[in-house]
Structure formats: C-alpha cells, structure tokens
C-alpha cells in the first residue's frame, strides 16, 4: 500500500497494526472470517469509482458496460450456487436486505413472528431499538428452556394466535440446525411468507455442509463476510414471483447507488465457493466447532444446547460463576478474541450476560484443525483459571502468538 503510506501515514500505520493484530491473535468471533486476498484486491479496485443506480441494462448513468457484466455475473453465479430463482446482490448490509424483504411484501404495521433476540435472534428481526421493530409489529418465539432448541410447537401456537403475515427463521447465536421444512409448513398453514436469514451460515450452506433453507423459503437473506469469507454487504434470494418487488424495494425503495466493488467481490466469492478448497474449509469449520465444544465440555464448561451443528459454540460461563463481558476482556488480554453473548435464561437476570460465543470459521480458514481446537480449549480454560496471575497470562499470550505464527492468515 505504497500510495496510502505516502498520502496518509497515520491511517496506513493503523491498517498495518490491524493486519498484525489479525495475524497474532486467535479470531474466534463467530461473525468474522479471513477473506481470500483476491477479495481484498477486488474491494480496493477501480470499481469503486462507478455510480450505478438501477439494474444491468436499466441504469441511470452512462458508462456501465463493464459493471453491468459484473452484476450480471454475480447474479448468475449466486443463482447457481444457492439454487435460487432470483438474486439481488445490491443490499449494503444484512440489515438492509431484511428491511427490503419486509417492505417488499408487507405494509407498515403488519405482524411478523421472529426469534427472540435473547434466544439467538438478530436486531433486524424486530428489536425495539431497530428500525425494523419501529415499522412492524413483531412478536417473538423462544427456545425450549430444557433443550434450548427452538420450540416449534410454540412457533405453531403463536402463528395461530398472532396470525403474522411473515415468519422469520434464522439467528446470530443459535448453534443448531433449524428445521426449515417445519418452519415452512407452519408458515403455509397460516398463509404467511417465510424469510430465512442465514447471515451466519451462508458459507456452510454454499458448501453443502449443512442443509439449505432455499428450497423451503420465499426469501433468504445473508451477508458476505461471515462464514462465506466474502465482502461486507448483503444478498437476497427469492422465488421468481417476488423478483420485481424485491428489486424495486432495494432500488429505489431503500437504497441509492450500490457498491460495484462489493458486487464484484460477491461474484468472486460465489465462484470460489464452488471450489474444493472452500468446501473443505467449510466442512472443517463444522468439525472444528464440534471438536471445540467437546473439548470445552471436557474441561467442565456447559455448552448451550449441549453442542453444535454449525460453526459456533455458545458457552454458559455463568454456570462457572463468571460474567460474559469479563471473560471477553480477559481472553482479549491473551490474544483470544471472542464476544460476550446473551443466552437463554439471561432474561431473568437483568444486566447479566452469561454467555460467550466462539466461532471456528476464521481459525479454520487459516488452516487450523482439531489438534489446534484442543489447544485453544486448553488456552481458554487456563486463561479463565489464571485470571489473577499476570505472569501466567503473559505465558499464555506467548503460546497464543506461537500458535498463530504457525498458521499465517496471509503469506506475504
Ligand atoms: C450478522 C447478521 C445480520 C447482518 O448484518 P449487517 O451487520 O447488517 O450486515 C443479519 N442477520 C443475522 C441473523 C446476522 O447474524
């Protein structure tokens, strides 16, 4: 980045520090991944120049000959990869994608049934602080307090009582597969639309390592940057009859010009997602998460739902008389990066966050396997046990850095 270093040494240096931080820490944030260098090149390309209002062949500015091909390619690849009838690659974010789906087929004030945030849902699924919650009348379903799995009987009952016009399935901290067929059946029984938000799962679904919601849903939304290893920004998949409504709701409904560099990077990751290296990484991500859950459980940690089917492990640190935020801070001091998370049951303890969420996507992308998951479980456990011993923590930090060194994120 020679030009940047000349133009703005301050920002250049901050970027370099961030690069080093990524290399020297274990990234267990479930909502992140390390993307291929080709994605970063695409994001930093001249495609950033072009203003594109409208859709390929129907633009409001001249000079779109090449960027039209970029977007057409992204759409075609997205359809092929996910087996979708229609794809919109323009959403600026996952939240914009969800908002557009709501506005495409609902009226302001309409009823929507979605998963409770404290049980794994997402802000854009009707949290009062989100614009989605201000525009629509949301009610939420929960997990069963015993099994911590989605209570499908409750979903069915609430659907009958509340008569929502849309049901949302999908979550940001639910470690189990969702029964999409069952959700679809419930939605059909009350003539509601089914939206599946697979933001966290898109890479795993693309690789075919967990079931796809696409055959069961009217709409599927996701972001590029989680397991999928692509750029920021969102994508909407939908059935053909909704294509025009979705496109018009994104532009001009919710957004102006979209970002061609992001669209090109989406096209790129849709191509890479069909290749063996990507599929192997996604399969290993799930194996690693299962392994990490077993390794932590073996060290006495309670795992929410007892395990995982995907890339994330939700640990109940409250059961060890620890608080999620404190654990997050402590782990960061040794270079283990994860986030505190509410877990089912936290509603009854206002202010307390009893969970910590660990994701295996980024560490798997840099090449780690089950042996390293054992080491990571051990490092986490020793960190929490050695909370008050500075020299012990310094030793662990050294071990974390040594492990990271063996698995470079980017080879320069
Ligand atoms: C991460 C996530 C989103 C998306 O997000 P943006 O931050 O708006 O891109 C949407 N839904 C779910 C379930 C998520 O986990």
């Amino acid at each position: 980045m020679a030009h940047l270093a000349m133009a703005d040494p301050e920002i250049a240096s901050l970027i370099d520090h961030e690069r080093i931080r990524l290399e020297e820490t274990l990234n267990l944030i479930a909502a992140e991944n390390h993307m291929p260098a080709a994605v970063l090149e695409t994001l930093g390309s001249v495609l950033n120049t072009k203003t594109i209002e409208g859709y390929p062949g129907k633009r409001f500015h001249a000079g779109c000959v090449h960027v039209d091909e970029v977007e057409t390619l992204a759409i075609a690849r997205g359809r092929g990869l996910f087996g979708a009838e229609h794809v919109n690659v323009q959403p600026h974010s996952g939240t914009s994608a969800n908002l557009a789906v709501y506005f495409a087929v609902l009226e302001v004030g309409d009823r929507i049934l979605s998963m409770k945030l404290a049980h794994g849902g997402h802000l854009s699924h009707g949290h009062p602080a989100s614009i989605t919650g201000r525009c629509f009348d949301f009610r939420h379903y929960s997990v069963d307090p015993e099994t911590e799995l989605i209570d499908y009987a409750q979903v069915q009952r609430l659907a009958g009582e509340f008569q929502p016009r849309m049901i949302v399935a999908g979550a940001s901290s639910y470690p189990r597969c969702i029964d999409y067929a069952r959700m679809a059946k419930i939605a059909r029984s009350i003539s509601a639309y089914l939206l599946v938000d697979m933001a966290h799962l898109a890479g795993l679904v693309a690789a075919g390592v967990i079931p796809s919601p696409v055959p069961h849903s009217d709409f599927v939304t996701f972001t590029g940057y989680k397991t999928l290893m692509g750029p920021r920004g969102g994508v909407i998949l939908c059935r053909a009859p909704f294509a025009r409504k979705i496109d018009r709701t994104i532009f001009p409904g919710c957004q102006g010009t979209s970002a061609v560099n992001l669209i090109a990077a989406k096209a790129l990751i849709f191509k890479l997602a069909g290749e063996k290296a990507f599929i192997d990484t996604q399969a290993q991500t799930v194996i690693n998460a299962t392994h990490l859950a077993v390794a932590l459980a073996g060290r006495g940690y309670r795992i929410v739902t007892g395990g995982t089917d995907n890339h994330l492990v939700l640990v109940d640190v409250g059961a060890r008389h620890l608080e999620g935020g404190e654990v997050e801070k402590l782990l960061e001091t040794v270079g283990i990066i994860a986030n505190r998370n509410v877990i089912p049951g936290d509603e009854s303890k206002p202010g307390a966050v009893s969970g910590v969420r660990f994701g295996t996507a980024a560490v798997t992308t840099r090449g780690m396997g089950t042996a390293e998951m054992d080491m990571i479980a051990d490092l986490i456990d020793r960190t929490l046990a050695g909370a008050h011993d500075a020299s012990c923590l310094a030793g662990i930090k050294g071990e974390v850095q040594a492990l990271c060194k063996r698995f470079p994120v980017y080879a320069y």
Side-chain angles (χ1 to χ4, degrees):
M1 291 200 281
H3 295 93
L4 178 62
M6 295 280 286
D8 189 342
E10 242 179 318
I11 287 293
S13 144
L14 288 170
I15 293 175
D16 203 45
H17 281 113
E18 176 61 3
R19 184 186 61 75
I20 294 165
R21 185 191 70 83
L22 288 168
E23 291 287 351
E24 294 185 348
T25 56
L26 289 167
N27 185 355
L28 297 171
I29 302 278
E32 292 180 15
N33 207 340
H34 300 298
M35 64 271 323
V39 169
L40 297 180
E41 286 178 2
T42 308
L43 292 175
S45 71
V46 294
L47 291 177
N48 193 55
T49 313
K50 199 76 201 89
T51 291
I52 49 150
E53 286 176 325
Y55 290 94
K58 291 166 281 180
R59 302 288 193 193
F60 291 80
H61 303 84
C64 288
V65 49
H66 302 302
V67 297
D68 274 8
E69 278 191 59
V70 167
E71 185 166 357
T72 303
L73 201 51
I75 293 166
R77 286 178 181 173
R79 284 173 55 177
L81 181 64
F82 292 103
E85 292 176 12
H86 180 72
V87 179
N88 187 302
V89 291
Q90 292 199 3
H92 295 321
S93 68
T95 298
S96 307
N98 288 341
L99 197 60
V101 171
Y102 303 147
F103 274 102
V105 290
L106 305 180
E107 297 301 324
V108 170
D110 273 356
R111 292 185 292 268
I112 306 178
L113 182 63
S114 67
M115 190 161 179
K116 187 186 276 186
L117 184 69
H119 288 193
H122 189 256
L123 288 166
S124 64
H125 299 178
H127 190 276
S130 158
I131 188 166
T132 57
R134 293 171 60 183
C135 293
F136 299 97
D137 180 13
F138 277 87
R139 197 170 293 180
H140 302 290
Y141 56 88
S142 338
V143 300
D144 179 287
E146 291 303 313
T147 62
E148 299 174 307
L149 303 177
I150 290 173
D151 183 348
Y152 294 95
Q154 186 204 49
V155 178
Q156 174 85 71
R157 184 172 57 71
L158 289 175
E161 285 170 15
F162 184 51
Q163 291 289 317
R165 291 198 62 208
M166 182 178 285
I167 296 180
V168 183
S172 56
S173 57
Y174 187 65
R176 295 299 185 169
C177 285
I178 294 173
D179 187 344
Y180 301 123
R182 191 153 179 196
M183 283 297 203
K185 199 169 163 215
I186 296 171
R188 269 198 308 274
S189 75
I190 54 158
S191 301
Y193 301 108
L194 178 64
L195 160 62
V196 174
D197 178 349
M198 62 168 187
H200 266 267
L201 308 175
L204 306 175
V205 169
V209 302
I210 60 168
S212 170
V214 175
H216 306 285
S217 319
D218 299 303
F219 307 94
V220 174
T221 55
F222 61 92
T223 51
Y225 58 88
K226 294 178 179 170
T227 51
L228 190 58
M229 273 187 236
R232 292 206 165 250
V235 177
I236 302 172
L237 313 178
C238 70
R239 296 198 192 285
F242 304 118
R244 204 179 131 72
K245 277 187 170 167
I246 286 292
D247 287 353
R248 285 193 56 77
T249 310
I250 284 289
F251 176 87
C254 295
Q255 296 187 174
T257 181
S258 189
V260 191
N261 55 336
L262 295 187
I263 292 173
K266 288 169 193 173
L268 166 63
I269 203 66
F270 292 163
K271 172 178 183 283
L272 298 181
E275 296 177 1
K276 186 174 181 303
F278 181 96
I279 295 167
D280 289 349
T281 300
Q282 299 293 333
Q284 189 65 43
T285 296
V286 176
I287 292 168
N288 282 351
T290 305
H291 203 87
L292 183 65
V294 170
L296 287 167
R299 287 166 177 80
Y301 293 89
R302 193 184 83 78
I303 311 300
V304 174
T305 79
T308 180
D309 299 328
N310 54 33
H311 64 303
L312 69 87
V313 179
L314 199 53
V315 178
D316 177 2
V317 295
R320 296 275 286 247
H321 309 293
L322 298 165
E323 198 276 326
E326 282 166 23
V327 170
E328 175 188 306
K329 279 204 198 83
L330 184 60
L331 289 174
E332 184 165 7
T333 64
V334 300
I336 298 173
I337 311 299
N339 71 289
R340 66 188 179 281
N341 213 103
V342 290
I343 60 171
D346 274 349
E347 312 94 286
S348 57
K349 307 173 243 174
V353 174
S354 306
V356 178
R357 187 181 66 163
F358 296 105
T360 54
V363 289
T364 306
T365 296
R366 68 196 286 179
M368 295 187 190
T370 53
E372 287 72 39
M373 297 308 116
D374 279 327
M375 293 177 69
I376 290 173
D378 183 58
L379 291 162
I380 291 169
D381 184 39
R382 280 160 47 213
T383 302
L384 301 189
H388 303 295
D389 183 340
S391 79
C392 163
L393 294 177
I396 296 171
K397 185 173 183 178
E399 289 180 60
V400 167
Q401 287 183 354
L403 176 58
C404 290
K405 227 185 172 82
R406 285 172 44 218
F407 296 91
V409 179
Y410 295 107
Y412 287 95

